Short mmCIF file of all heavy atoms in Angstrom, two decimals:
data_model
loop_
_atom_site.label_atom_id
_atom_site.label_comp_id
_atom_site.label_asym_id
_atom_site.label_seq_id
_atom_site.Cartn_x
_atom_site.Cartn_y
_atom_site.Cartn_z
N ALA A 533 194.83 112.21 136.88
CA ALA A 533 193.44 112.50 137.26
C ALA A 533 193.37 112.82 138.75
O ALA A 533 194.09 112.26 139.55
CB ALA A 533 192.56 111.30 136.95
N THR A 534 192.52 113.74 139.09
CA THR A 534 192.31 114.09 140.49
C THR A 534 191.12 113.29 141.01
O THR A 534 190.07 113.27 140.37
CB THR A 534 192.02 115.60 140.62
OG1 THR A 534 193.10 116.31 140.04
CG2 THR A 534 191.85 116.00 142.07
N PRO A 535 191.29 112.62 142.17
CA PRO A 535 190.16 111.83 142.68
C PRO A 535 188.99 112.72 143.04
O PRO A 535 189.17 113.85 143.46
CB PRO A 535 190.74 111.14 143.93
CG PRO A 535 191.94 111.93 144.32
CD PRO A 535 192.44 112.60 143.07
N SER A 536 187.79 112.20 142.82
CA SER A 536 186.60 112.96 143.17
C SER A 536 186.48 113.06 144.68
O SER A 536 186.97 112.19 145.40
CB SER A 536 185.36 112.29 142.58
OG SER A 536 185.15 111.06 143.26
N PRO A 537 185.82 114.10 145.21
CA PRO A 537 185.66 114.22 146.65
C PRO A 537 185.01 112.99 147.28
O PRO A 537 185.32 112.63 148.39
CB PRO A 537 184.77 115.45 146.83
CG PRO A 537 184.95 116.24 145.56
CD PRO A 537 185.25 115.23 144.49
N ALA A 538 184.13 112.31 146.56
CA ALA A 538 183.47 111.13 147.11
C ALA A 538 184.46 109.98 147.29
O ALA A 538 184.28 109.14 148.15
CB ALA A 538 182.33 110.68 146.20
N ALA A 539 185.55 109.96 146.50
CA ALA A 539 186.53 108.89 146.58
C ALA A 539 187.60 109.17 147.64
O ALA A 539 188.38 108.31 147.98
CB ALA A 539 187.20 108.69 145.23
N THR A 540 187.67 110.41 148.11
CA THR A 540 188.68 110.78 149.09
C THR A 540 188.13 110.53 150.49
O THR A 540 187.08 111.05 150.84
CB THR A 540 189.05 112.28 148.95
OG1 THR A 540 189.46 112.50 147.60
CG2 THR A 540 190.14 112.67 149.91
N PRO A 541 188.84 109.71 151.32
CA PRO A 541 188.33 109.44 152.66
C PRO A 541 188.32 110.70 153.51
O PRO A 541 189.21 111.53 153.41
CB PRO A 541 189.32 108.41 153.24
CG PRO A 541 190.39 108.22 152.22
CD PRO A 541 190.08 109.03 151.02
N ALA A 542 187.30 110.82 154.32
CA ALA A 542 187.18 111.97 155.21
C ALA A 542 188.13 111.81 156.38
O ALA A 542 188.40 110.71 156.83
CB ALA A 542 185.75 112.09 155.72
N ALA A 543 188.65 112.93 156.87
CA ALA A 543 189.52 112.90 158.05
C ALA A 543 188.68 112.51 159.25
O ALA A 543 187.50 112.86 159.35
CB ALA A 543 190.14 114.27 158.28
N PRO A 544 189.29 111.76 160.21
CA PRO A 544 188.52 111.38 161.40
C PRO A 544 188.07 112.62 162.15
O PRO A 544 188.82 113.57 162.31
CB PRO A 544 189.51 110.56 162.24
CG PRO A 544 190.71 110.32 161.39
CD PRO A 544 190.64 111.26 160.24
N SER A 545 186.84 112.61 162.58
CA SER A 545 186.34 113.74 163.34
C SER A 545 186.56 113.47 164.82
O SER A 545 186.60 112.35 165.27
CB SER A 545 184.85 113.96 163.07
OG SER A 545 184.13 112.83 163.48
N SER A 546 186.75 114.55 165.56
CA SER A 546 186.90 114.39 167.00
C SER A 546 185.93 115.34 167.68
O SER A 546 185.81 116.49 167.29
CB SER A 546 188.34 114.67 167.43
OG SER A 546 188.71 115.98 167.08
N PRO A 547 185.24 114.86 168.68
CA PRO A 547 184.27 115.71 169.34
C PRO A 547 184.96 116.86 170.05
O PRO A 547 185.94 116.68 170.77
CB PRO A 547 183.59 114.78 170.35
CG PRO A 547 184.47 113.58 170.46
CD PRO A 547 185.31 113.54 169.24
N SER A 548 184.47 118.10 169.81
CA SER A 548 185.11 119.27 170.39
C SER A 548 184.92 119.34 171.90
O SER A 548 185.65 120.03 172.58
CB SER A 548 184.57 120.54 169.72
OG SER A 548 183.17 120.61 169.92
N SER A 549 183.97 118.61 172.44
CA SER A 549 183.75 118.64 173.88
C SER A 549 184.66 117.68 174.63
O SER A 549 184.66 117.65 175.85
CB SER A 549 182.29 118.30 174.19
OG SER A 549 182.01 117.00 173.72
N SER A 550 185.46 116.90 173.91
CA SER A 550 186.33 115.92 174.54
C SER A 550 187.52 116.61 175.23
O SER A 550 188.15 117.47 174.64
CB SER A 550 186.85 114.94 173.50
OG SER A 550 187.88 114.16 174.05
N PRO A 551 187.85 116.23 176.47
CA PRO A 551 189.02 116.80 177.12
C PRO A 551 190.30 116.36 176.44
O PRO A 551 191.34 116.98 176.60
CB PRO A 551 188.93 116.24 178.54
CG PRO A 551 188.12 115.00 178.43
CD PRO A 551 187.17 115.26 177.29
N TYR A 552 190.27 115.31 175.64
CA TYR A 552 191.45 114.82 174.97
C TYR A 552 191.81 115.65 173.75
O TYR A 552 192.90 115.55 173.23
CB TYR A 552 191.26 113.35 174.56
CG TYR A 552 191.02 112.46 175.74
CD1 TYR A 552 189.73 112.09 176.11
CD2 TYR A 552 192.08 112.00 176.52
CE1 TYR A 552 189.52 111.28 177.21
CE2 TYR A 552 191.86 111.20 177.62
CZ TYR A 552 190.58 110.84 177.95
OH TYR A 552 190.37 110.05 179.04
N ALA A 553 190.88 116.44 173.23
CA ALA A 553 191.10 117.18 172.00
C ALA A 553 191.54 118.62 172.23
O ALA A 553 191.71 119.35 171.29
CB ALA A 553 189.81 117.16 171.17
N SER A 554 191.77 119.05 173.46
CA SER A 554 192.03 120.45 173.73
C SER A 554 193.49 120.86 173.60
O SER A 554 193.79 122.03 173.44
CB SER A 554 191.53 120.82 175.13
OG SER A 554 192.23 120.04 176.09
N ALA A 555 194.44 119.95 173.64
CA ALA A 555 195.85 120.29 173.56
C ALA A 555 196.27 120.47 172.11
O ALA A 555 195.64 119.96 171.20
CB ALA A 555 196.68 119.18 174.21
N PRO A 556 197.40 121.22 171.88
CA PRO A 556 197.89 121.37 170.51
C PRO A 556 198.46 120.05 170.00
O PRO A 556 198.76 119.17 170.79
CB PRO A 556 198.99 122.43 170.66
CG PRO A 556 199.45 122.31 172.07
CD PRO A 556 198.22 121.91 172.86
N PRO A 557 198.64 119.92 168.66
CA PRO A 557 199.22 118.68 168.12
C PRO A 557 200.56 118.39 168.78
O PRO A 557 201.32 119.30 169.07
CB PRO A 557 199.39 118.97 166.63
CG PRO A 557 198.40 120.05 166.33
CD PRO A 557 198.30 120.87 167.59
N ALA A 558 200.85 117.12 168.99
CA ALA A 558 202.09 116.72 169.65
C ALA A 558 203.28 117.01 168.76
O ALA A 558 203.28 116.73 167.57
CB ALA A 558 202.04 115.24 170.00
N ALA A 559 204.31 117.63 169.34
CA ALA A 559 205.58 117.79 168.66
C ALA A 559 206.37 116.51 168.92
O ALA A 559 205.99 115.70 169.75
CB ALA A 559 206.31 119.00 169.24
N ALA A 560 207.46 116.34 168.21
CA ALA A 560 208.29 115.16 168.46
C ALA A 560 208.67 115.13 169.93
O ALA A 560 209.09 116.14 170.49
CB ALA A 560 209.52 115.18 167.57
N GLY A 561 208.46 114.02 170.55
CA GLY A 561 208.76 113.89 171.97
C GLY A 561 209.02 112.45 172.34
O GLY A 561 209.11 111.58 171.46
N PRO A 562 209.10 112.17 173.62
CA PRO A 562 209.42 110.82 174.06
C PRO A 562 208.38 109.77 173.66
O PRO A 562 208.70 108.59 173.59
CB PRO A 562 209.55 110.94 175.57
CG PRO A 562 208.87 112.21 175.94
CD PRO A 562 208.93 113.09 174.73
N ALA A 563 207.15 110.16 173.39
CA ALA A 563 206.12 109.19 173.01
C ALA A 563 206.18 108.84 171.53
O ALA A 563 205.57 107.87 171.09
CB ALA A 563 204.73 109.71 173.37
N ASP A 564 206.92 109.63 170.74
CA ASP A 564 207.00 109.36 169.30
C ASP A 564 207.64 108.00 169.02
O ASP A 564 208.58 107.60 169.69
CB ASP A 564 207.81 110.45 168.59
CG ASP A 564 206.96 111.59 168.11
OD1 ASP A 564 205.85 111.77 168.64
OD2 ASP A 564 207.41 112.33 167.21
N GLY A 565 207.10 107.31 168.04
CA GLY A 565 207.64 106.03 167.63
C GLY A 565 206.59 104.96 167.68
O GLY A 565 205.40 105.23 167.88
N SER A 566 207.03 103.73 167.48
CA SER A 566 206.13 102.58 167.53
C SER A 566 206.38 101.82 168.82
O SER A 566 207.52 101.57 169.19
CB SER A 566 206.37 101.66 166.33
OG SER A 566 205.96 102.30 165.16
N TRP A 567 205.30 101.44 169.48
CA TRP A 567 205.34 100.78 170.78
C TRP A 567 204.50 99.51 170.70
O TRP A 567 203.43 99.53 170.11
CB TRP A 567 204.79 101.72 171.85
CG TRP A 567 205.52 103.02 171.94
CD1 TRP A 567 205.32 104.12 171.16
CD2 TRP A 567 206.57 103.35 172.84
NE1 TRP A 567 206.18 105.11 171.55
CE2 TRP A 567 206.96 104.67 172.57
CE3 TRP A 567 207.22 102.64 173.87
CZ2 TRP A 567 207.97 105.31 173.28
CZ3 TRP A 567 208.21 103.28 174.58
CH2 TRP A 567 208.59 104.59 174.28
#
């Protein structure tokens, strides 16, 4: 069975005016991992 759209959690939204949201998605780099 395919879950109904109401049962599927929405992706977190990010405000487009935020300076933190302007860079491309992070590629694997030194920050990757658990800290």
Side-chain angles (χ1 to χ4, degrees):
T534 303
S536 68
T540 304
S545 62
S546 59
S548 60
S549 61
S550 169
Y552 299 97
S554 62
D564 270 21
S566 292
W567 302 83

